[in-house]
Each structure stands twice: as C-alpha cells, then as structure tokens.
Amino acid sequence: MNIRDYKSASERRHAIEKKLGLKLTNIGNFTFDENVASSKNCENMIGASQIPLGVAGPLEIRNSKFEIRSYYIPLATTEGALVASISRGAKAISMSGGANSYAFRVGQTRGPVFSVKSIEEQRKLYLWVKENQEKLKKVTEATSKHLKLKKAKVRSLASYSFVRFYFDTGDAMGMNMVTIATQKAVELIEKETGVKCLSVAGNYDIDKKPAWLNFINNRGFKVWSETVLKKEVLQSVLKTTSEKFFEVWLAKCMIGSAMSGSLGFNAQYANIIAAMFIATGQDPAHVVEGSMGITTAKALKNGDLHVSVYLPALIVGTVGGGTGLATQKETLSLLGVAGTGRVEKFAEIIGGAVLAGEISLISSLSEGSLAKAHEKLGRSQK
Amino acid sequence: MNIRDYKSASERRHAIEKKLGLKLTNIGNFTFDENVASSKNCENMIGASQIPLGVAGPLEIRNSKFEIRSYYIPLATTEGALVASISRGAKAISMSGGANSYAFRVGQTRGPVFSVKSIEEQRKLYLWVKENQEKLKKVTEATSKHLKLKKAKVRSLASYSFVRFYFDTGDAMGMNMVTIATQKAVELIEKETGVKCLSVAGNYDIDKKPAWLNFINNRGFKVWSETVLKKEVLQSVLKTTSEKFFEVWLAKCMIGSAMSGSLGFNAQYANIIAAMFIATGQDPAHVVEGSMGITTAKALKNGDLHVSVYLPALIVGTVGGGTGLATQKETLSLLGVAGTGRVEKFAEIIGGAVLAGEISLISSLSEGSLAKAHEKLGRSQK
Amino acid sequence: MNIRDYKSASERRHAIEKKLGLKLTNIGNFTFDENVASSKNCENMIGASQIPLGVAGPLEIRNSKFEIRSYYIPLATTEGALVASISRGAKAISMSGGANSYAFRVGQTRGPVFSVKSIEEQRKLYLWVKENQEKLKKVTEATSKHLKLKKAKVRSLASYSFVRFYFDTGDAMGMNMVTIATQKAVELIEKETGVKCLSVAGNYDIDKKPAWLNFINNRGFKVWSETVLKKEVLQSVLKTTSEKFFEVWLAKCMIGSAMSGSLGFNAQYANIIAAMFIATGQDPAHVVEGSMGITTAKALKNGDLHVSVYLPALIVGTVGGGTGLATQKETLSLLGVAGTGRVEKFAEIIGGAVLAGEISLISSLSEGSLAKAHEKLGRSQK
Amino acid sequence: MNIRDYKSASERRHAIEKKLGLKLTNIGNFTFDENVASSKNCENMIGASQIPLGVAGPLEIRNSKFEIRSYYIPLATTEGALVASISRGAKAISMSGGANSYAFRVGQTRGPVFSVKSIEEQRKLYLWVKENQEKLKKVTEATSKHLKLKKAKVRSLASYSFVRFYFDTGDAMGMNMVTIATQKAVELIEKETGVKCLSVAGNYDIDKKPAWLNFINNRGFKVWSETVLKKEVLQSVLKTTSEKFFEVWLAKCMIGSAMSGSLGFNAQYANIIAAMFIATGQDPAHVVEGSMGITTAKALKNGDLHVSVYLPALIVGTVGGGTGLATQKETLSLLGVAGTGRVEKFAEIIGGAVLAGEISLISSLSEGSLAKAHEKLGRSQK
C-alpha cells in the first residue's frame, strides 16, 4: 500500500484501518474543506485532530491604536486548569482597568549561509550586501506584492557568511514568502559576487530553535503588555499581595531562570502561546520563539503592582498557513482579527493574554495554591 | 454574561455567537466526550479546533527492545509540505534498512525555590536533602502509586536554594503528579529544616522555557535515533550526496546555530515534535524542550552517510493529559502505543520521525529545492 | 636568528633588541629564578612583565572553618580605581561585622571526546564507564599521589561520546595533572571497549571558555560569600541606601544581564578575579570561568542589606603553576595561604574580595558617582 | 594602621611586612615610574608582580593594509608549554605563507539602564534616542577629542530601557572615556525626556561578563585571521594531517562546545589573549570577551587545510590603561604598535597569534601528544 496513491482522506483512512485493524472513526470527523486542506495544509491527509477549545476572559486591552476592547481569548488546549488560570488573570486585569499592549514589527527573517574561501571573499560579500540593499529590495519584492525587504545584515567567519534578511510580510506569518524572496536574493548575490550559497536557510534566521539571536535582535513582532494591578484586586481575585507576588517573581522568573541557563525569564508564556496558536491557525512550532521573554514586576508604594511581559519574537499572521481553515477562521473572527490589516492588533491581544497567564500563575505560586489546584484536578482524573 | 455560568459548550458558544454576532458552526463540531473534556482538559469549553491530520511513512524503526516495525507517523499540521517532507525522509531511512532508536528516562522534574537567610542555612538545606532522600522518597511516592522519586539535587546561592526533583512518572507525562508530590516534599523540608519555600515551581524544573539546564542535565526522556543512508538512496530519493549533505549540515546546524546563540543544533526538530504532539495529545508547550538537540552527519568512505539526532529533553506520555481524547487515542493506537507500558517505545518513534525530518530538509537544502517547493506551494495559494 | 637557540633570557633579549633596534631594559629586570621559570613557566623567556601590585583592605572574613581574620587583598592591576573600589567595599563589610565565605570543591575536570559508530557503541561506553569507576579510579590515581578521581559522567550523541572526569587535585589547580590522568583513563577505555578517543580534551571539561556546563554543574570550587551591610554603613561609607542598591542590582545584574544573554549576573567579578589571579600566580585565562556567577541583594526590614556572591566555577591552586615564582609566593604569604592545606581558605578569601567589589561598584552606580570617579581619573591622565 | 596613609610603595610594603612578619623583597623590585603608576594604575601600591615574559614566533602576518611582516609575539605567562605551543603554530603558519588578519572596529560600548513607568514612556525614550542621535553625538563628543559616537541602540521592557552606545575611542581601549561620555548622554536624556536613569552601566554594555550580546552584535573590534596550512607543513611541523585535524576540530570545537552550552567554539583563545593582554598592558578582565569566538577548519582537496579564527569582541588599546608602563611599552614597541594609529594592526596581530595557538593545540590533540607534553612538564615539576 502506498498511502500517497489514495485519492481522499477517507480512502487513506480506510486503507490504514484495514491494514492495522483499527477504527479511526473520530479522526474522520471534520468540517473544513478537504480539497483545500489536503493541497495547502497537509499531505496524505486522513482526517483531523480535534482539540478542545475554551475561552478565557473577557480581557480588556488597550492596543497601540488606543482602541479599548474586551476579548474572549480562544485557547485550544488539553491541559486542564489553563483556561481557568488565564480567565482569573484576565479578570484581575480587567478589574484593574485593563492591559496596555504594543506590538512592533521587526520582520520575518531568512538567513542563508554562503561558503567563502577567505576573509577577502567574505569582505567582498559584506560590502556588496551593504551597498546593494536597493537591488536586493527590488529582486526580493518582485516575488510578492505583500512583501517588503526591511534590511539585510551580514555576519561572517573566514569560511562562512550569513546574511539575515528581515521582511515585512504584511498580514502573513510569511516563512513561505520569505524563502522564495531570499532564494532570489541568493541568486543575485551568487551571480554578482561569485560566492556560492550553501543553504538558503542557514540557521541564521533562526527558525523554530531557541536562540539568543532572536531574543537580542528580535524576529517577527516584539510585543509588550502591562497593567497596574490594584491592591484590592490582588487581594480579592488573586489572593495575594504585591510583596508576595514580587518575591516569587524575583525568585522564580529572574534567579531561577538565571540558574537554569534559560532564555525564558517568565512563568508560562509557552502555555498561552501554544493554546492560542493552535486555536488560530498559527504554526505551533513557533511556540519556541514565543516561549522566550521577560516578565517584570514592580510593587508600587500604594500597594498596587505593575506587571509587564516582553515577548522579543512573536511570529504570527492572520492570513495564510492554517488561518483559513474552518475552525481557525471562526476563532480569528471571535477576536475580530480575521483577514487583513489586523496582525498588529492580533499580536497585541496575544501579549495581553500572556500577561494574564503570568499574573495568574505567579499569584497562585505566591500563595501556595498551585499544587492544590493540581491535586483537585488530579483527583478528578482518578 | 459570565461565560462560566453556562452549562455546556453549545450554550457558551451560542452566547458568544449572539453577543459578537458571529457564527461558530465549525467549532461546534466535535466527537469527543464533552463532559470529560470540559472537566479534565479545558474549562469554558465552546467546542473544538480541528487540525488536519496526515500520515508520513511508512518509517521502519528498530527500537531499544530490538523490535523492528514500520510506522505511519501521524502529524497534525497546517503547514503544507511538512508531511511530504517527513515521508521522503522516512522512505530514505526505510530503504536504507531503517532507523535505530533509543530512549532513556531521565525523569519528569519539579524545581521549587526556597528562601534562605544565609550560607549556613543553604548548607543546612543541602545536607538535609542529601541525607534524607529516603524520607523524600517515602513522602512523595505516597501521593501516587505511579510515581517514583529518582533523585533530588540542590543548587544554591546565599539567598535562594533550588531543589530539582526527578521523578519516574510511568506512562504519564506527569507534571500534575510531580507538582503534587513536590508539594509534599516541600512541606516536609519546611517542617524539618525551618526553611521557607517561596514557590513549588521555581523555574529550576525548568518547564516550557528554553534552558541549558534541560539540555545539559536532561528532562523527561533523552532520545537518540540514527541511520546509515545508502549512497544510492541519497541519490535516488534525496537527490543529494553524502558530501553535499555533510557540507550543509556543518554550515547550518553547527556553524549557523553557533552564530545564533542557539540551543538547537538541528534543522527542524520543532516541526515534527509539534505535529506529533498535537496529534497524540501531548502538551504542545513542551515543543520548547523538544526543539533543543543536536543532529550529526558523518560521510562514510563508501559514499554512505551516518545521520543521527539527539533530543536531550523529550516530554511525553501515553496516558493522562490529552491522550484520552477521541482522536488522540486513535492516533496513539495507530502507532501501537496507546495505554500503559509503551511510553519509551513512543519516545523512540518520535526520535525516528525527527530523524526523517532532518534527513529530508537538509537534503533539500543541499540541492537547492526548498525554495522551489515553497514556490510551488506558494503558487497554489494564490 | 632562531630564538630558541639562545641560552638565556638576556641573550634572547639582546638578540631581539639588536634585530629590531629596540631597548628592552625594563623587561630585563626581574628577581625570580630564571632557570626554574624558563623551564617550568615560560619558554623563550626574555625577561618579565611588571604589573603594579596594590592592596585593598583590611577585609574581615569568617571562613568555613569559622576562622575570623582580616586580610589585605593583593591586586595586580593597571586599571586605576579598582584597588580603591575594593578597599571601600572591604571597609563597608568589615564595619558591618565581616563577610562569611564558603568554598566547596567540585573538582578539576577533563572531558575527552570519543568517536562512536552507533547508539549501541555509545551505550556500551556509557555502561562501561558507569560500571568501572573503581578501575578508572585506580588507573588515574596511579599517575599522582595528589590526585583523586571524584566521578566520571558520560553524555553522548550517536556519533560522539563525552566523558567528564572530576578530580580532587589537592592544593594544585591541576590541569596538568588531570590531563595526564585522563590520558590513562582514555587508554584503558580504548583498550577495554574498543572505542577510539578523538581528543583527550573535547571541550566537555570545558576549560577557559564561557559555558553553561561549568555554571550548572560547576568546576573547580564553587564559592559563596555574603554579608549584612548595616544601614549606617550604607549611608556613611557607601553613600547609598538599601533601596537604591537593590534597585540598581535588580536593573543591572538581573534584568540587564538577562537582556544581554549573559552568564554573568554580577557587576564586576572579572576585575577582582583577574587582579588576584595575576598577583597570586593563578592561570589568568581562568578569569573566564571566574567571571560567571550571580550576585544577590535583599533589603531587610531594618534598613540593612543582605548581599551575596555565588561563583559557580573558581579555578585556583596554592602550589604549582605560577604560585612558586618570587613575587607570587610573597603575595600568597601575605594572605597566609602559601603552600599546602590552604586552597579552600584561599578560595574563600577570593569570594570575600569579589563581594567587596560588588558592594562598592553597585553602591557607586546607585548614587551616580561612577562617571565622576572616572572623570577625576580621566583628568589626571591628561 | 591605615594603608592609605603611607606615602610610598616602600612605606606601605614595610608596614605590611612589619605587621604580618613577612619579607616582601621581590615585590619591592620594579622599574616603572612609581608616581605615575600609583596615581593612574593602582592605588595602595606596594610594588609589582613579575610575570615571566617569553616570545613566540616569528609569525608572519599580512594585515588589512596588506603589510606583510614577521612578529615576535610577546606572552606574559606562568603556564609552561604555552609559548612553545604558539611558536609551533607560528612556524607552521609562516612556512605555509603566513596568516591573513583583518580587524573591524565595532566600537567600545556603554549600556545605561533607565527606569520607565510604562510602555508609553519606553516608546518615548526609544523615539527620542532614535531622533536625536546628532544631539547625543554632540554632547558625548564634547567630553573628549578622541571619542566619536557611532550609534545608540535601545532595547526595552515595560519597566526598564537599555541604551547601548557604541563609541570610536581611537587608540584607547576607552572604558574610562565612554563612561564619562555616556554620563553626559544620560543627563541629556533625563533632562529632555524626564525618564530617570538607574545606572550609567546597566550590563547592556556588557563589560567583562560572558554574553551573547557581545558575540552577536560585537564589541570593541571583531577580528578574523586565517591561513592555508600546506600538506607538508601539517606533516613535518604539526605531525598531523588535514583529516585528523578536521576530525578533532569538529568533535571538540563544534560538538563539544555545543554540548557544553558554550560561547567559545575554539580550543584556547583565552590562553593567548590572557598572555598578550598582560604583556601589553591591556585590561586582563577583558579576557572574558576575548575567549568567545569560532575556529573553523576546512580540508582542501590537495591535502592542505584552511584554518580560521573569528573573535567577535576583542577589547584592546595602544594608549591609556596599562600601556604606558615601562615593560608594557617595551612590549608594544617590540610589536611595532606603541602609540597612536596602530590599534587595528595590534588587533590583527593578536588575531594571528590566536590562530597560531589554535593550530598548534588542535594538531597536538589530533595526534595524542598533549598528555605527553604535560607529562614531560609534570615530571620536571616533581
């Protein structure tokens, strides 16, 4: 049996069922357009995985255009307590006057690697790229009307040169687009400098691996979100105080992460990023980039608490990839960010949701209730 | 409207539809048991996200028990080309005699942080933990019959002490279990030493953040997988040679990752981990840990190529979490690893699939076809 | 002219003077034993470099044996303000009741790399090392009566295996010793397992490169030192307050270092380590390891301030290397740590001096006087 | 006794001798100008440390101005075998036609940290710095005629903003200069934006701590050096082959360093940097930055071997600091780089010397002679 030879998901599924003596009934249940999904999103399709989808919130966010709105945060997750936790954080934020979010587009990156024979050759490549940004702009932007070259930076050894291209990819996450555009840039560079490209993707993008390059020089969007939690809200909703919260934040997010050699000075960014990415059709492998970042806490004189999150590399889009699938599209609509012109807003909502997750978990740890929550959940699982 | 007050996913969904003036028809389509999912996996449930599920393979793997079997690798993904890419790698591996995989259980970790007043106090804590591993074993293992304490390691400053507990959690991923067990250990330590715990989770686990601690001292399972690609297979299936493959591997996975300050010396571990984790009900935030690791390549004298992957921290389970949901259970069955006693085998299959992904992508880069593949896909998207 | 053919430092110096048309009069001035130095410490010797040597202090330290003593800290440095800065910190510490220091011997490490052909072979190597620690002990300890094997840890890929040997090297820093001992271990492993060693030093030691392995699993000695600065001393000597100090510490040593992707969560460990290492005949390349570590600050309710330093990998000795040279020996005597049985004490003094440096610099930054100090110095340099 | 009250090095030394019952005769022997050294380089001076000074070479280097010259490399060291090792590397390089070196000035950095109250305030600061680079240039350059502001980059959280200033400091290493200049910039920023600076040095420089920021965005000079070792030279001088060398380089410098979580993908940069820095009056704490970097090796078809080094952050000067002291000045003259207009050349010589060290050590490891060399040395020490 060659799985590729079958014409439809159901044929493939039945062939596998037969071969392995299984029933895959649930996998066969889906409502998205099979023809589109099997040609654009997933080869050898046999059906779909269903992930429970919950909503946290409402969460009040003021975005960079000073729009203030309440959002239901969609979270596709199988990890009990996550939605409840973010809901609690959202409540605390909303009761304190909402979160402020800001997203800044750094650009999607591709980082080809060239083989250079000598320092002289790498200098030649460096100078060529520096002096021909306009040419590079022209050749890359010809590949798509949705793409703009923001800059191209070179870092070299004597044997290898890496060029990091940063693109504005509009509403799309854009890895597909930037790969095609970079290929054209590579061909131009090869032709004009005689230097040979080893790989259009040379891990200097760097895509889907934890890396300081993405932390320090950023990738996709950098996103900040902050709130000032009121003293009363800390007490009534979060069952903690600004002092306790600060103490746990410092011990865990700063000292603990330093001791661990981490790029994540935070409590649980990855949980929120993963659940929102799956719900909204993002590439879930970009959870890696999204897990990096720093949470801050500052106890104010009046008992209030300033809390903020900083995500150095959030990779998102509102068109392309999985965003056009049936449930994903509905989820983006739920947030009001389906379609074009709304990707910054989407990034800013994610920032706010991540902030809610930090607030809830650090509060919970500061008053010793995490294990209790798990225990309750644990019991229900027996 | 308070979303929590509604009794069912459909009530919640309808309330939101009404409030936001939307139709969430597709989200309402799911086949898993709502009562179970909404109590164990996802609060405020409104339905489900559907992710296209494809299969790559067959992929022949010899596991650590010397069982040789062919697997269809289930991948829930929205990123076109991924399934095809892994299928190609699987074909190359299978035609070369299969992959060898080996998983070693390091254990699930929890790392509470204690507030210590002085060097003297941290020494006291250190010595107590060192000398009372049996007591710690007893108190933690009393919380679940599925859990065993493997070891507890202390790292301290003068102001903070971190204890990293490593547990064997059987077939479960086990974060829930280890949190409850660690809480008991913490209470014992507090009682016997007088030292106060600040947080049961002090980022010295370290959970869902990229971190050298997990790379160096590992977490969950460490997994190796390897194959020797035949010269003819490199040519016919992968359209490359051992020299070209080696050259790109070195430039990208080693030099490029070094230049980027990365913990991922690989091509695309995260892609495979994410797609398999979603398909099989793992916690997708653990893609962060799974994205770390080193791929190696060695060109042999006869034109063959030894390729291997090393995943220092793979976090998986075959029971608990999302593994019991309808489609996820079917997917685990498809791999033959549903239920108990099969978690190592499952980890070893993931290792093999990750190897297939590396082989395919690096080959593709080495012969310049990545952009072409994307271009083809890109065109189909216009 | 072949520089190696000359018989003495003066002959070599004169040959160079003649060839280059220079006068190297000052280089010719030294008082150590030329025969010893030119055979043990420095080939092709032409003379000596002179580094100004100052003393900071007195600094009161209570070491791990509960001895309380005041030390003059010897610092060989050319960077103005360093000695004065440490003196100020020493004064603040001494007036507050002294520093507490504690050193723990982790052991000197060597990390050979083996070429393995397969996962099976690396498992074989792993098991052999695990089961033959006694044999390894015997063969390595036969190379020197001053050396004991503490443990040997294996980390492997499918193609490479690394073994990290930890040795107690007595009073010596011991890199020389452990290389010889590891060579014997390597020969035994090669003979008994058939696995081939590629390099006796495989950067899994890891020697003289910044690395998380040394931070997380330590190397040489780990050292803590702490003090509680009195409120009045903060005011009178350091011109700051516990609040200001804390605020700068958090912003600089924690947040700033996190933003920089650093392994040094401190203000200036390297300055003190470098100056003491040069003064006392240590290997100054080990400043790299010594620059890692975390400083902590905690404002107490009464206005006092707890400050601590943690050095995860301090590499020192009191015999061997440069410790036997004329000025270096005098400097070790000045500290009371020349000769045998005093290396822990020496490490603990360094810890105290590093603490003094942190206290002084962070205080200075917190009240804005660093630039002023430099300006004053700058003027004197014009 | 207050050590600061004494008027001269000899008075201080005698006071300490008397107090501690010691003889510090050798420390009292020095030939530099005491008045200058005690006011500019070292407070509380009691004398000098003498470090044996040897020369390696001659080493033929072609610098970025295409000057070809042979250098004797001065090395102040107490570690036996180092000078001999670099000499061997220098011989191999020179016999193969010399090394090519290239230095590029990135600039000396200072990175103050500001306390920001909100995202809005950090945006304000960001925009102000972006739009007022000319004002910043004016105010900083007014502090010294030797200093130019190259750029100022902002990175922010919601609570902290870091500005990284890059300065051209001419022939000086310049930390002193840039601190004073940055202080003026800080005062201007505070005045015009109302944002408060917490510390003029906020570890975003980042000075003397291992950090990816310095690796990725560089600091001081970045330096490359390369050579093509002839097949015959590999055999006759280095007793190895290009294959063996390559194999050890890959296993040690790439895989081993990756496994260690290192920023040093090299064999022994720190050894050469430390010895040259001490000899030439550099700040030895900057060995930390100098220990980072990547060595590459490429076996050529004809049996030759391309080897290169890349130092991302070399911090050096030829005036100021310790460069004016008696022996240090002579050493700089020996290299032909004393005084002004030669700092790039100096950096390029260091690059060549570092290359020599890599070649020698990796060769030695590849043919198993390191332990033997140490053993010989070890015996002579008994």
Side-chain angles (χ1 to χ4, degrees), chain D residues 11-218:
Chain D
E11 282 184 35
R12 274 181 220 105
R13 196 170 59 250
H14 293 143
I16 288 181
E17 284 179 327
K18 201 171 155 191
K19 180 157 188 203
L20 302 181
L22 291 169
K23 277 285 159 205
L24 304 174
T25 319
N26 294 286
I27 286 174
N29 175 67
F30 58 89
T31 59
F32 51 72
D33 182 330
E34 180 176 332
N35 287 334
V36 176
S38 65
S39 69
K40 279 209 228 164
N41 301 106
C42 183
E43 300 80 31
N44 293 352
M45 210 174 84
I46 62 167
S49 293
Q50 298 168 34
I51 317 289
L53 178 70
V55 291
L59 169 60
E60 193 173 305
I61 297 175
R62 190 181 74 152
N63 69 20
S64 59
K65 287 173 186 154
F66 305 107
E67 295 164 354
I68 299 177
R69 232 201 86 182
S70 269
Y71 299 91
Y72 287 104
I73 306 297
L75 299 150
T77 182
T78 63
E79 304 303 311
L82 182 64
V83 179
S85 165
I86 300 168
S87 268
R88 193 170 75 124
K91 188 178 172 188
I93 291 172
S94 301
M95 284 175 66
S96 297
N100 252 325
S101 285
Y102 195 98
F104 179 86
R105 184 194 293 271
V106 177
Q108 186 55 289
T109 58
R110 244 321 166 209
V113 54
F114 294 83
S115 173
V116 288
K117 288 198 192 65
S118 62
I119 297 171
E120 198 181 327
E121 199 170 82
Q122 60 107 321
R123 290 301 298 167
K124 192 170 67 173
L125 179 63
Y126 167 77
L127 291 172
W128 192 93
V129 170
K130 203 179 160 191
E131 290 161 8
N132 289 278
Q133 301 253 334
E134 277 312 306
K135 264 195 195 176
L136 287 168
K137 221 172 144 54
K138 205 175 144 194
V139 76
T140 53
E141 296 183 2
T143 62
S144 165
K145 63 182 178 197
H146 300 297
L147 175 141
K148 294 203 180 316
L149 177 61
K150 296 190 72 175
K151 57 183 173 180
K153 294 277 180 187
V154 183
R155 285 289 184 280
S156 294
L157 292 79
S159 315
Y160 301 96
S161 279
F162 297 85
V163 187
R164 196 178 203 222
F165 293 95
Y166 295 74
F167 295 101
D168 181 335
T169 56
D171 303 293
M173 179 270 273
M175 278 314 289
N176 195 26
M177 246 190 256
V178 306
T179 303
I180 296 164
T182 302
Q183 178 65 29
K184 293 298 171 198
V186 159
E187 286 164 12
L188 180 67
I189 292 169
E190 285 186 327
K191 196 182 124 202
E192 300 228 353
T193 65
V195 175
K196 187 189 147 214
C197 179
L198 283 172
S199 170
V200 71
N203 276 10
Y204 203 67
D205 331 277
I206 176 176
D207 192 37
K208 302 175 178 172
K209 289 122 208 147
W212 280 106
L213 178 61
N214 287 341
F215 193 113
I216 290 171
N217 287 343
N218 309 106

Side-chain angles (χ1 to χ4, degrees), chain C residues 107-108 140 147-150 165-169 178 181-182:
Chain C
Q108 186 54 289
T140 53
L147 175 141
K148 295 205 179 315
L149 177 61
K150 297 189 73 175
F165 293 95
Y166 295 74
F167 296 100
D168 181 333
T169 55
V178 305
T182 303

